[in-house]
């Protein structure tokens, strides 16, 4: 774990995150009772959320990974989309839940949903660790949301990075401004 003091404040403690993820796992397990869910984890940001969420799922599940890149500057994305790692599993006829780290403008998830739907899954829902609804540019909503952040903060930790760093923090914090400006 990184001991550098890079956050001006901690928004979500490790304990708070664990509690919320247990609730989400229970909710998903109840909603899909008797079914099997294929989780599609969007790399790299959602690796930690995916691991912790899946430990709380009590129904049958599979997991696969996809990696996309959206172009833009380092703290916000544009509409461009490039597939860097495709799925390995065949998801045709499967009940899919896309697992994201954060929905900000919504461009990334909107393009991903389009892409996933072309593979004819039985259903597609979204689970996101963080939702920043005030920054939305695309009309997308996640069915399962860990935490809503209304303020326009740039946050790091628990998978979320700034320039590929700070993903290892076990909490979520607001990055000190002098680090990215
Ligand atoms: P969107 O396409 O604007 O919804 O952006 C989603 C992607 O932007 C996420 O998967 C993150 O990689 C990145 N992102 C957006 N906001 C933050 C943040 O506050 N901290 C770290 N990454 C972020
Ligand atoms: Mg990122």
């Amino acid at each position: 774990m990184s001991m550098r003091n890079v956050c001006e404040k901690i928004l979500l403690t490790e304990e708070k995150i664990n509690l919320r993820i247990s609730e989400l796992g229970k909710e998903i397990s109840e909603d899909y009772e008797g079914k099997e869910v294929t989780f599609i984890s969007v790399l790299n940001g959602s690796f930690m959320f995916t691991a912790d969420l899946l430990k709380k799922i009590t129904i049958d599940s599979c997991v696969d990974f996809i990696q996309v890149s959206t172009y833009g500057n380092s703290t916000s994305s544009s509409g461009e989309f490039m597939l860097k790692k495709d799925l390995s599993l065949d998801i045709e006829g499967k009940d899919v839940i896309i697992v994201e780290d954060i929905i900000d403008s919504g461009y990334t998830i909107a393009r991903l949903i389009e892409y996933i739907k072309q593979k004819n899954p039985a259903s597609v829902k979204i689970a996101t660790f963080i939702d920043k609804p005030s920054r939305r540019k695309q009309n997308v909503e996640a069915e399962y949301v860990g935490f809503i952040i209304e303020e326009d903060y740039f946050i790091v930790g628990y998978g979320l990075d700034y320039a590929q760093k700070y993903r290892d923090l076990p909490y979520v914090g607001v990055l000190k401004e002098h680090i990215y400006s």
Side-chain angles (χ1 to χ4, degrees):
M1 174 183 137
S2 167
M3 297 313 252
R4 289 146 299 157
N5 188 15
V6 297
C7 293
E8 65 181 53
K9 67 174 159 181
I10 292 178
L11 286 184
L12 306 170
T13 61
E14 197 172 355
E15 189 189 15
K16 197 169 172 185
I17 293 170
N18 287 340
L19 275 172
R20 181 66 190 128
I21 290 178
S22 296
E23 290 173 359
L24 278 181
K26 187 164 179 275
E27 196 184 333
I28 293 172
S29 301
E30 284 169 4
D31 290 355
Y32 287 82
E33 208 191 321
K35 294 185 179 173
E36 182 190 286
V37 179
T38 301
F39 290 95
I40 297 180
S41 175
V42 186
L43 295 172
N44 295 333
S46 75
F47 78 101
M48 219 178 266
F49 177 47
T50 303
D52 287 344
L53 180 64
L54 263 67
K55 285 184 264 180
K56 303 296 179 188
I57 298 293
T58 53
I59 53 168
D60 287 346
S61 70
C62 297
V63 62
D64 199 359
F65 299 88
I66 195 166
Q67 188 175 30
V68 298
S69 69
T70 44
Y71 298 105
N73 64 40
S74 52
T75 58
S76 68
S77 71
S78 69
E80 302 299 316
F81 176 101
M82 192 182 80
L83 196 61
K84 293 175 90 180
K85 186 221 167 283
D86 202 354
L87 297 173
S88 308
L89 299 179
D90 179 6
I91 59 166
E92 186 169 347
K94 302 288 186 182
D95 289 306
V96 165
I97 298 182
I98 303 174
V99 184
E100 258 287 24
D101 54 353
I102 186 165
I103 303 179
D104 187 42
S105 68
Y107 283 127
T108 309
I109 194 71
R111 294 296 312 274
L112 253 175
I113 294 168
E114 244 174 63
Y115 179 77
I116 300 282
K117 282 190 173 165
Q118 288 170 15
K119 297 183 181 276
N120 297 315
S123 65
V124 182
K125 285 191 186 179
I126 303 162
T128 189
F129 174 54
I130 305 278
D131 191 4
K132 274 186 183 173
S134 61
R135 304 240 317 157
R136 201 73 94 250
K137 298 231 167 58
Q138 293 279 302
N139 183 24
V140 281
E141 251 181 78
E143 285 80 5
Y144 303 101
V145 175
F147 299 93
I148 296 174
I149 293 184
E150 296 289 356
E151 300 86 349
D152 188 7
Y153 287 142
F154 191 79
I155 56 174
V156 293
Y158 199 73
L160 291 156
D161 72 304
Y162 171 67
Q164 302 304 326
K165 290 187 353 188
Y166 319 124
R167 295 192 198 274
D168 55 319
L169 300 173
Y171 50 82
V172 169
V174 180
L175 189 63
K176 282 181 178 166
E177 207 177 316
H178 74 87
I179 296 177
Y180 63 87
S181 60

